[in-house]
Amino acid sequence: MKKKALILLFPLLILSLFLIGCEEQRNSQLSEAETTDYTIKSNRVSGVLTDNISIDAVINLPAKLDEDEKNIAVYNAAMREFDKTKVINILEPKLKPEQYTYHTENVFGTELETAIYNDENASFNIGHMIYYESKACEFYSYLFREDLFESKKTLTFEPEEQALEHTFQILEELGISRPEWKKTYYMEKESLKEAEKEQSAYEYFADDLKKGKALYRGEWKDSDACYVFDLTVSVDSIPVLEKGYLIDDYLFVFGGGIRVFYSKDGIIGIEVEAVYDAGEISDTVEIAPLDTVLNQLKAKYESIMSDEKLEISNIGVKYIPEPQGRGRSELKLIPVWEVILKGQDGDNQYEIAVYYTIDGKKEKVLP
């Protein structure tokens, strides 16, 4: 009887071992060893890193990094110059080329031309960036603050999914192929009133209003609502660092962030720092297991004498645009690990972004 039971259990044991092996292989990009402090499962990691750092994070890896693909490309890159006439015809079709002026600047060794226009109805800069603000957008951009408008609301003028899809369509026409959605903000009547109330409470608000340095509307209706979409351009489904950074005290490297203001009139404002076109692959780098990155972060914070309580909320891979070569005239897209930590200072929540080389060997410090 015991012999028969053993014969029946043996295939089940083999099957269990096979399934465990598949799960370990699927997570090979994420973990190289078991840990009692935190758990990595599928696209989440949770637990404790240090006495002061907890973990409850989403892991954002591009779909291409499956069990069979562990390498990420380093690209030679160029910053795109937008078709100014085309962009203006889409955003402000009534304008004529002779109504705007041009400015030329050297950006990473390339002469880029920017079209500039500003009057009471609209303003824009279009070159390697797109900055466009219509008259209808000025109150929203003036009042916008991330913490005031992050709570999800139902805006009656158009469903969010439909507005976002329409935004993608317009961006495609502008020359930006379906960027990664990051976050939506909701500027509805009550939150707009609250934002305006806070602005008007400032000591010098009345004087600024008289001088035209401040704005005040007073009356807001449900139909005055506005979505704000934060997006980022991507390469190989890997987002490009959203915010730019300064190097050598004079050279600003633009990020891949996009912000769109979308009301009942459609897109009324848009900010695009830069779009990077990937060229030839200059190198490939093997991605480190997530444990390697977390161990680096643990060592960093254990060496800091601080009681600051932090939580890791997001971990992912990003491309950082990096000038290189003589005169910094060459651009490369460098893949990195990005770890986002959240902290609390009184009533204010803040974020810290820490970067590591994609092989996990050292921290990548941005100026």
Side-chain angles (χ1 to χ4, degrees), residues 107-108 241 243-255 276 320-332 334 364-367:
V107 182
F108 307 128
L241 183 72
K243 296 180 179 179
Y245 62 96
L246 187 68
I247 56 177
D248 296 341
D249 296 327
Y250 72 93
L251 181 60
F252 188 78
V253 182
F254 295 91
Y276 290 93
I320 291 181
E322 188 175 282
Q324 297 185 351
R326 188 175 180 180
R328 297 192 183 276
S329 60
E330 299 174 8
L331 269 174
K332 289 187 184 293
I334 309 295
K364 180 83 172 176
V365 179
L366 294 183

Side-chain angles (χ1 to χ4, degrees), residues 24 42 74 157 176 182 215 235-236 259 298 339:
E24 288 178 349
S42 187
V74 176
F157 72 89
I176 306 170
K182 186 181 177 188
L215 297 172
V235 174
D236 289 346
R259 175 165 285 170
K298 182 177 181 178
V339 183

Side-chain angles (χ1 to χ4, degrees), residues 118-356:
N118 186 26
D119 72 2
E120 68 277 5
N121 296 313
S123 61
F124 61 72
N125 285 26
I126 300 169
H128 66 78
M129 85 294 283
I130 298 177
Y131 171 80
Y132 164 71
E133 183 179 286
S134 67
K135 179 71 173 177
C137 188
E138 64 176 356
F139 275 100
Y140 301 104
S141 60
Y142 175 72
L143 293 173
F144 182 76
R145 237 176 59 195
E146 292 181 1
D147 60 318
L148 286 180
F149 301 103
E150 62 183 357
S151 297
K152 187 175 177 64
K153 307 284 185 181
T154 300
L155 306 189
T156 57
F157 72 89
E158 189 173 347
E160 180 183 347
E161 295 78 11
Q162 185 175 314
L164 186 58
E165 187 58 38
H166 188 211
T167 296
F168 284 140
Q169 292 172 8
I170 298 298
L171 291 175
E172 184 77 38
E173 292 177 28
L174 296 175
I176 306 170
S177 297
R178 207 168 189 90
E180 302 279 330
W181 172 85
K182 186 181 177 188
K183 190 166 185 176
T184 301
Y185 297 93
Y186 307 86
M187 302 185 78
E188 48 77 50
K189 180 175 69 173
E190 296 306 320
S191 55
L192 284 163
K193 287 180 179 178
E194 181 62 28
E196 199 163 58
K197 182 179 178 181
E198 286 193 18
Q199 287 280 9
S200 60
Y202 290 150
E203 182 179 357
Y204 301 106
F205 177 79
D207 287 340
D208 285 345
L209 191 62
K210 290 178 182 177
K211 296 174 183 177
K213 296 180 180 179
L215 297 172
Y216 186 80
R217 183 167 174 171
E219 294 294 327
W220 294 94
K221 299 179 290 185
D222 288 334
S223 58
D224 293 327
C226 179
Y227 292 111
V228 181
F229 297 124
D230 273 3
L231 315 152
T232 183
V233 297
S234 62
V235 174
D236 289 346
S237 298
I238 298 175
V240 174
L241 183 72
E242 293 92 345
K243 296 180 179 179
Y245 62 96
L246 187 68
I247 56 177
D248 296 341
D249 296 327
Y250 72 93
L251 181 60
F252 188 78
V253 182
F254 295 91
I258 299 172
R259 175 165 285 170
V260 174
F261 290 83
Y262 187 101
S263 74
K264 63 179 182 295
D265 298 317
I267 292 179
I268 56 174
I270 181 170
E271 301 167 16
V272 181
E273 278 200 26
V275 172
Y276 290 93
D277 293 318
E280 294 181 353
I281 295 175
S282 66
D283 195 7
T284 57
V285 187
E286 184 173 343
I287 184 171
L290 181 55
D291 275 330
T292 302
V293 178
L294 291 177
N295 286 336
Q296 288 271 21
L297 187 69
K298 182 177 181 178
K300 171 186 172 75
Y301 275 92
E302 284 182 340
S303 67
I304 300 172
M305 301 297 291
S306 173
D307 294 329
E308 183 180 24
K309 297 292 184 182
L310 299 169
E311 180 185 77
I312 299 174
S313 61
N314 200 289
I315 302 170
V317 174
K318 292 274 176 76
Y319 270 121
I320 291 181
E322 188 175 282
Q324 297 185 351
R326 188 175 180 180
R328 297 192 183 276
S329 60
E330 299 174 8
L331 269 174
K332 289 187 184 293
L333 291 175
I334 309 295
V336 296
W337 280 100
E338 178 188 66
V339 183
I340 302 296
L341 301 99
K342 288 186 176 180
Q344 196 77 28
D345 182 12
D347 294 331
N348 299 318
Q349 190 177 81
Y350 60 90
E351 288 188 350
I352 301 170
V354 183
Y355 299 94
Y356 290 94

